[in-house]
Amino acid sequence: MAITLKINGQDRQVDAAEGTPLLWVLRDHLKMNGTRFGCGVAQCGACTVHVDGLPVRACITPHDALEGAEITTIEGKQGAVADAVRAAWVASDVPQCGYCQSGQIMAAVALLEENTDPSDEDIDTAMSGNICRCATYMSIRRAIKDAAQTL
Amino acid sequence: MLIRDLGIIPADDSLASAAPTAPPIEIGNFSRRGFMATSGILVIGLSLAGCAPGEEARLDDAAVAESPLTGVKGGDATPALWISITDTGIVKVTCHRSEMGQQVWTSMAQIVADELEADWDDVEIVQALGHPKYGDQNTDGSRSVRFNFHRLRVAGAAMRTMLEQAAAERWDVYPAQCKAQQSRVINTVNNDSLAFADLAEGASKLAVPAETDIRLKARDEWRYIGKPIASVTVPRIVKGDGAYGMDVERPGMVYAVVARPPQVFGKTGVVNDVATLAVPGVLRTVRLPNAMPPAAFNSLGGVAVVASDTWAAIQGRNALDVEWLDGPNADHDSDVYRAAMEDTARQPGKVQRNRGDAIAALASAEQTLVAEYYAPHLAHAPMEPPSATAEWKDGKLECWACVQDPQTTRSTLAAVLSVEADDITVHATWLGGAFGRKSKPDFVVEAARISREIGKPVKVIWTREDDLQHDYYHSVSAQRFEGVLDENGKCTAYLHRSVFPTISSTFVPGADNPSAGEMGLGATDTPFDVPNLRIESGKAPAHLRIGWLRSVSNIYHVFGVQSFAAELAHAAGRDQKDYLLDLIGGPRLIDPNAEGADYDNYGGDLEEYPIDTARLAQVTKRAAAMANWGRVLPDGHGLGIAVHRSFLSYVATAIEVVVDAEGNLTIPGVWLAVDAGTVVNPKHVKAQMEGGTLYGLSNALYGEISAKKGAVVQSNFPNWRVMRMAEAPRSFEVEIVESTASPAGVGEPGTPPAAPALANAIFAATGKRYRSLPILGPNGRRLSLDDSQDS
């Protein structure tokens, strides 16, 4: 059944089977591939998007539960915090393969939107749901702190 | 790595030869107009640099033509194969290796652009198709820079020479007074200059110079080589730009997941797909042929579920009713198998290297030190699971996939599907991690088979469960060591016996002898200065697909060798680092082949890349100094160290751990010294050292793949645990040794020392020696400290 989702500020018509996770609606139906598939069971964070400003795992979130919600993906995430995080990621060359980094950035932006001066423990808590197999964790930690400095 | 090194299958070049069909063109026209008209060696509209569907990436005649630079060291350095300059001044550099996070796009371009004297801001990267003209494209074995450093310098310098000559002709002056500098050629007499863009067409009409007529820059003239140039991919990554295998889109494309037999060489029995076909979005099922030995890179059989989106395909597969029939590996059980391997390791094995008479020395010793180590199968688990898109059309096949080796993908598809290689085009996308998994193109074979059957483009997606349960696993291994110490604590006899199922078994049915190539990864290359040394191997049959994973056999060998070195130090009552340096001994070059080994030195010449104990000792001392080795540590803290030469680089790693009274383990610091010879990009070498170390630490702490009734037990990140942010070291320092030696590998050498340095640190902190990996496992939260040794 076709429904309307508000994604990155735009209304998008979606006609996917009932219960289809937001991840596959974004990727297969809307061709928005920045949100990644890594595990399908909310364990790796590669599919992190924001729903009403909070980080959510798109791989286990049925798209049809999101009517009326503000959905933001890596492609559409804007603002001072997102700019600061992207700038810090580029300045530090944080990504290696980059596949998980959409999710890492979305998680880091959500953290810094709540807390502009995170401690190491705050970073551990906010970021430990996002796996990076290239193990860029040290660079991510540094870049979050660098981004925080500019906010 | 290793397939060719092991001599198991022929080099790709024997399997495919000619260029993909290209339209007739004006030879060597570099201008934008000519480029648009003829395609050239690269693509129009570079937003996805040749890996995006719909873009043409073809080799033109100038690129495939013979030139005086066709046969330089490392392969073809013909400039048109690697470089194109548009009339707007864009310098397009072709990268024939796969980008998987090691920043090969950046490093290859640094080498070319430096010699070419291109302005870095003008450089764009084009991903090469899989084609023999490029030489080896197998992006593993940590050798992209090593194999290509010289020829890419030559290609850049040759193009620079031609641009300078074109300027000289334009100005009617001597070429010697024309000097390329930052995308312009300067007349050094009157300071006139011309842009590369304005010279490219003229240069393209000139003959390619011979290598003797090209001047490579002196080391102190390098502009980009050796500099921490930022990655060219990162600005796209932070926007979520989709360029991975998972992201490929084709018009009319459908999606598929495959239900595969749980056992390798298990068969598909009765299939009932009624419930599957009732799932909204499911289009049909496709039965794939049963797999037969050898596994090689063929598909695994089973049933594909084809649907209008990925979710429908997954739901359809969940609803599928399949009878799986047992195959020859039905009885495989990892616990039983471990006991058998350990028993083999206690029996005399095949001698792989021998010095003196360790057997006699052990037999006559009053006391021997014996230790047995175990390391389980591992999965690669790149963040992007395998994915491939295939399109059969008019008897031709085009594929887009996250493959480490597009050329072997092409030759495999040709052989398996009985299609001419000329009718197959393989585009390598970006790889969302690989670690060796994506040099095996079985997933591309699946996509090709399904597309041929259904007559539509199809994207095959592997879920994480598929990835963990149908991998080419890093080998399980049992290692046994026996040593003798004299009254001064010096090691006088050393026996190392290694037992593991060989990678060869994936290509040769029944192969059960560790290969010389695998034994050369951390066993027969042992650098210890002991009078009696014996390295043996023991047989083990394979029951899973065995494959190479980041640093390969070095993982289990070095875990054993460097743990045992620390155990010898402890038995001798010596400091671990000091004793390790004594074991390495004085400065000398080691040739394992002089002591009966069949050692291939990662395919490198032992003269150019010797096993140099001075370099081993140097990194060991540096890492120890960085860690402030010898400082007084608080209770519960411990420092451990390990060193190893792999992929022709020398890496020493010191790790500090803290273990509290409850057994909670944290890693406050890691200090790593690396000597990789000439380094192209220190920033990215540092990243590889961090990543390689944490990959090793993650595996050592948590990683274990096991089988019951022939099927892999682990299925997703809950039971295949990997290191996360909170568990990562808080501090990680890397020092790169300044060196003018030939460039060596960096993608893998960070991994081998990680596990033994960790185990040695835990021993220093707690007195408990971990000889069996993983140390914590999927569910372990704390170290068990109730006994002093775990085996």
Side-chain angles (χ1 to χ4, degrees):
Chain A
M1 189 188 75
I3 63 167
T4 300
L5 294 179
K6 191 166 188 185
I7 301 173
N8 297 333
Q10 293 185 327
D11 285 340
R12 302 293 300 263
Q13 297 294 314
V14 173
D15 189 4
E18 192 181 329
T20 301
L22 175 64
L23 172 67
W24 301 111
V25 168
L26 290 170
R27 293 185 59 81
D28 295 351
H29 291 254
L30 300 174
K31 311 300 182 192
M32 296 172 68
N33 283 326
T35 304
R36 315 274 182 216
F37 168 63
C39 70
V41 292
Q43 289 292 306
C44 80
C47 65
T48 304
V49 298
H50 293 181
V51 174
D52 295 332
L54 296 174
V56 162
R57 307 303 187 217
C59 73
I60 58 159
T61 307
H63 77 287
D64 35 2
L66 297 173
E67 273 186 289
E70 296 269 357
I71 301 163
T72 309
T73 72
I74 185 72
E75 293 95 340
K77 188 63 195 177
Q78 293 170 354
V81 173
D83 290 348
V85 167
R86 285 198 177 97
W89 249 243
V90 170
S92 282
D93 256 3
V94 168
Q96 289 186 26
C97 86
Y99 189 81
C100 73
Q101 297 290 341
S102 296
Q104 303 281 1
I105 289 170
M106 294 302 278
V109 170
L111 166 65
L112 289 172
E113 283 178 340
E114 282 289 303
N115 176 357
T116 55
D117 185 23
S119 65
D120 280 328
E121 289 67 32
D122 295 333
I123 293 172
D124 285 346
T125 302
M127 302 302 295
S128 281
N130 290 75
I131 294 172
C132 174
R133 288 288 282 158
C134 302
T136 60
Y137 299 126
M138 283 81 67
S139 296
I140 290 172
R141 184 186 299 279
R142 186 173 61 245
I144 288 173
K145 291 179 177 180
D146 289 348
Q149 290 285 316
T150 69
L151 291 171
Chain B
M1 64 164 301
L2 285 184
I3 285 241
R4 260 170 262 162
D5 300 350
L6 294 169
I8 293 161
I9 60 169
D12 309 316
D13 312 40
S14 66
L15 298 174
S17 55
T21 313
I25 59 160
E26 303 165 51
I27 291 175
N29 189 336
F30 294 103
S31 74
R32 168 70 95 184
R33 192 177 54 79
F35 169 70
M36 297 283 282
T38 64
S39 290
I41 60 168
L42 43 87
V43 289
I44 298 160
L46 270 174
S47 68
L48 288 179
C51 57
E55 291 182 351
E56 300 287 311
R58 285 177 295 211
L59 285 158
D60 74 8
D61 288 357
V64 299
E66 292 281 313
S67 89
L69 300 178
T70 300
V72 309
K73 181 189 170 196
D76 199 326
T78 304
L81 186 61
W82 303 105
I83 306 159
S84 186
I85 300 170
T86 72
D87 62 0
T88 55
I90 299 168
V91 175
K92 306 201 176 197
V93 176
T94 298
C95 180
H96 66 305
R97 316 287 285 189
S98 295
E99 177 56 69
M100 52 194 189
Q102 82 284 40
Q103 315 306 342
V104 74
W105 272 23
T106 307
S107 56
M108 296 285 112
Q110 279 179 260
I111 299 167
V112 172
D114 200 325
E115 289 289 352
L116 176 59
E117 266 297 326
D119 185 326
W120 185 250
D121 290 339
D122 295 339
V123 174
E124 288 185 2
I125 316 298
V126 179
Q127 181 70 46
L129 293 170
H131 195 279
K133 182 68 178 170
Y134 295 107
D136 186 294
Q137 290 182 271
N138 193 6
T139 314
D140 62 12
S142 300
R143 53 198 176 181
S144 289
V145 167
R146 171 159 73 95
F147 276 9
N148 296 287
F149 186 67
H150 178 72
R151 69 162 163 161
L152 292 184
R153 288 183 69 198
V154 170
M159 182 70 96
R160 162 175 38 90
T161 305
M162 293 159 76
L163 289 161
E164 288 172 343
Q165 193 182 335
E169 289 185 7
R170 184 85 72 87
W171 289 320
D172 195 19
V173 300
Y174 291 110
Q177 73 187 67
C178 301
K179 187 170 170 51
Q181 198 177 315
Q182 295 292 279
S183 292
R184 300 188 74 79
V185 176
I186 318 287
N187 181 335
T188 55
V189 172
N190 63 10
N191 265 343
D192 278 357
S193 72
L194 285 165
F196 281 7
D198 298 323
L199 293 166
E201 188 166 357
S204 72
K205 292 172 180 147
L206 299 173
V208 174
E211 192 172 3
T212 47
D213 296 330
I214 295 165
R215 192 187 79 87
L216 294 180
K217 286 182 173 182
R219 195 169 276 261
D220 62 3
E221 295 176 289
W222 286 345
R223 230 180 246 284
Y224 309 128
I225 298 170
K227 305 297 190 295
I229 306 272
S231 162
V232 297
T233 61
V234 167
R236 289 173 56 188
I237 288 168
V238 300
K239 293 186 287 188
D241 208 349
Y244 300 93
M246 279 275 177
D247 301 336
V248 174
E249 303 285 349
R250 293 293 299 161
M253 183 179 86
V254 293
Y255 302 80
V257 296
V258 179
R260 302 174 188 82
Q263 305 159 9
V264 176
F265 306 129
K267 294 186 185 340
T268 308
V270 177
V271 177
N272 179 345
D273 63 5
V274 172
T276 297
L277 296 172
V279 171
V282 169
L283 302 171
R284 59 174 290 184
T285 61
V286 175
R287 196 164 165 143
L288 297 171
N290 289 323
M292 302 286 285
F297 299 141
N298 211 334
S299 50
L300 281 167
V303 181
V305 178
V306 181
S308 57
D309 68 24
T310 308
W311 181 248
I314 292 171
Q315 298 304 105
R317 183 172 69 174
N318 290 343
L320 194 64
D321 181 9
V322 191
E323 176 195 25
W324 300 119
L325 306 177
D326 281 348
N329 299 306
D331 295 332
H332 180 48
D333 179 296
S334 289
D335 293 335
V336 176
Y337 189 82
R338 173 178 181 162
M341 274 201 315
E342 289 175 337
D343 189 49
T344 302
R346 292 171 192 136
Q347 318 299 325
K350 180 182 175 189
V351 181
Q352 298 270 359
R353 181 179 165 199
N354 187 62
R355 176 195 308 154
D357 192 343
I359 300 297
L362 283 160
S364 63
E366 281 182 25
Q367 212 175 351
T368 60
L369 185 69
V370 176
E372 294 180 343
Y373 303 87
Y374 175 80
H377 281 299
L378 299 170
H380 303 80
M383 283 313 295
E384 177 197 34
S387 180
T389 300
E391 183 167 355
W392 276 93
K393 205 172 175 181
D394 305 327
K396 295 183 191 297
L397 173 65
E398 191 161 11
C399 299
W400 299 259
C402 46
V403 286
Q404 286 173 257
D405 189 353
Q407 224 177 105
T408 293
T409 302
R410 187 170 180 245
S411 55
T412 297
L413 290 165
V416 169
L417 304 169
S418 300
V419 181
E420 293 297 320
D422 284 358
D423 290 333
I424 300 173
T425 304
V426 177
H427 305 260
T429 62
W430 280 359
L431 282 52
F435 314 119
R437 172 63 183 92
K438 294 171 180 173
S439 55
K440 295 95 172 168
D442 56 328
F443 55 103
V444 192
V445 174
E446 289 181 335
R449 288 189 192 281
I450 297 166
S451 179
R452 180 161 68 174
E453 181 69 24
I454 68 175
K456 288 181 182 171
V458 64
K459 174 156 64 176
V460 168
I461 289 108
W462 284 45
T463 62
R464 182 59 61 193
E465 290 80 4
D466 298 333
D467 174 52
L468 290 173
Q469 303 204 310
H470 302 285
D471 197 359
Y472 289 80
Y473 301 96
H474 169 74
S475 206
V476 61
S477 154
Q479 309 284 315
R480 181 180 170 91
F481 292 79
E482 299 179 21
V484 177
L485 301 180
D486 69 13
E487 63 277 16
N488 300 314
K490 180 176 164 48
C491 181
T492 56
Y494 174 97
L495 170 73
H496 173 194
R497 194 175 293 130
S498 178
V499 181
F500 56 90
T502 173
I503 292 168
S504 310
S505 62
T506 296
F507 304 96
V508 180
D512 59 2
N513 263 316
S515 69
E518 291 161 306
M519 290 298 293
L521 308 177
T524 54
D525 53 349
T526 297
F528 295 157
D529 184 16
V530 295
N532 302 290
L533 176 142
R534 188 178 178 95
I535 315 293
E536 296 181 0
S537 62
K539 290 185 176 192
H543 299 292
L544 298 171
R545 297 192 298 181
I546 309 296
W548 48 100
L549 172 147
R550 195 177 200 170
S551 84
V552 204
S553 308
N554 286 298
I555 293 173
Y556 41 81
H557 284 148
V558 178
F559 172 59
V561 170
Q562 292 288 310
S563 293
F564 190 62
E567 297 211 47
L568 289 170
H570 181 68
R574 299 276 310 283
D575 173 79
Q576 194 223 316
K577 181 263 295 179
D578 291 345
Y579 194 84
L580 179 57
L581 288 168
D582 283 356
L583 270 176
I584 292 167
R588 66 196 189 286
L589 305 183
I590 291 172
D591 180 4
N593 292 323
E595 293 171 345
D598 178 9
Y599 179 67
D600 91 332
N601 199 34
Y602 299 89
D605 182 357
L606 268 171
E607 299 233 333
E608 184 179 7
Y609 293 103
I611 303 177
D612 185 341
T613 59
R615 293 172 79 183
L616 264 180
Q618 183 185 36
V619 293
T620 306
K621 289 172 186 168
R622 288 205 181 199
M626 291 163 72
N628 195 9
W629 189 273
R631 67 189 142 102
V632 176
L633 293 165
D635 279 354
H637 288 239
L639 266 176
I641 195 166
V643 64
H644 185 55
R645 171 190 180 273
S646 65
F647 306 89
L648 312 175
S649 285
Y650 302 77
V651 175
T653 307
I655 295 180
E656 182 173 355
V657 300
V658 183
V659 183
D660 70 15
E662 282 79 48
N664 293 299
L665 169 78
T666 52
I667 304 174
V670 178
W671 299 268
L672 183 150
V674 54
D675 176 354
T678 298
V679 162
V680 170
N681 191 316
K683 190 175 188 170
H684 300 147
V685 170
K686 181 174 185 292
Q688 286 306 300
M689 292 303 130
E690 291 181 359
T693 299
L694 266 61
Y695 197 81
L697 292 177
S698 179
N699 287 333
L701 285 166
Y702 316 119
E704 178 168 24
I705 290 289
S706 57
K708 293 284 178 201
K709 295 183 178 169
V712 168
V713 172
Q714 290 73 22
S715 58
N716 205 321
F717 290 122
N719 56 13
W720 171 260
R721 184 177 170 191
V722 297
M723 182 171 269
R724 293 170 182 272
M725 173 65 86
E727 300 153 338
R730 278 293 159 81
S731 163
F732 198 121
E733 293 178 22
V734 177
E735 186 176 319
I736 300 171
V737 173
E738 289 284 331
S739 171
T740 57
S742 295
V746 296
E748 296 167 89
T751 301
L758 175 70
N760 293 341
I762 292 172
F763 180 78
T766 67
K768 181 172 168 101
R769 170 61 61 183
Y770 278 87
R771 297 197 184 103
S772 180
L773 299 179
I775 289 169
L776 286 170
N779 304 312
R781 295 293 153 191
R782 297 186 180 91
L783 297 176
S784 159
L785 301 173
D786 49 3
D787 54 6
S788 65
Q789 296 188 335
D790 78 331
S791 63

